[in-house]
Amino acid sequence: VQLQASGGGLVQPGGSLRLSCAASGSFYSIDAMAWYRQAPGNQRELVAIAPSGGIAHYADSVKGRFTISRDGAKNTVYLQMDSLKPEDTAVYYCNANIALRPRYNAYYWGQGTLVTVSS
């Protein structure tokens, strides 16, 4: 099982970016999918999480600006980031709780994609 993230880049403050993360390989199902980020000198933090069939949750710092969504047919999770601020600069990682077979789950991480918000 692999998670492939994409979509990072350089954007000016107030701009938008959309991150994507696709799961591939052999598995039974995907439960929660999430995005984390890690800024230089900081610990990795949860940005947003989308449970399978549940309500998404967001870090207070991104509420109202970021939107997490999933495409089940493509095994993909997205993070739409609007009104970006310099403090959003970080490496963003996708994470998925994947069932390799019924009731046998494991967590997987994508490789990280850098988002830089700067003028």
Side-chain angles (χ1 to χ4, degrees):
V1 176
Q2 289 188 328
L3 296 180
Q4 181 68 44
S6 61
L10 173 64
V11 64
Q12 292 187 341
S16 298
L17 279 176
R18 189 175 85 150
L19 306 183
S20 301
C21 177
S24 62
S26 178
F27 49 86
Y28 177 72
S29 66
I30 301 177
D31 293 335
M33 301 187 84
W35 288 96
Y36 288 73
R37 68 185 180 186
Q38 187 167 18
N42 289 359
Q43 291 186 335
R44 192 172 298 189
E45 63 175 357
L46 176 66
V47 175
I49 185 167
S52 176
I55 298 174
H57 294 274
Y58 299 89
D60 288 343
S61 59
V62 307
K63 281 181 182 177
R65 300 188 298 119
F66 290 11
T67 303
I68 189 170
S69 61
R70 295 173 60 165
D71 184 332
K74 296 181 179 179
N75 295 320
T76 298
V77 62
Y78 304 96
L79 186 68
Q80 177 66 41
M81 305 185 293
D82 299 319
S83 303
L84 282 160
K85 304 176 181 180
E87 51 263 43
D88 295 318
T89 296
V91 177
Y92 284 71
Y93 298 89
C94 58
N95 173 274
N97 184 353
I98 295 177
L100 302 181
R101 56 181 185 266
R103 297 183 300 280
Y104 187 82
N105 287 53
Y107 286 94
Y108 293 87
W109 290 93
Q111 83 281 16
T113 183
L114 177 62
V115 172
T116 303
V117 185
S118 175
S119 55

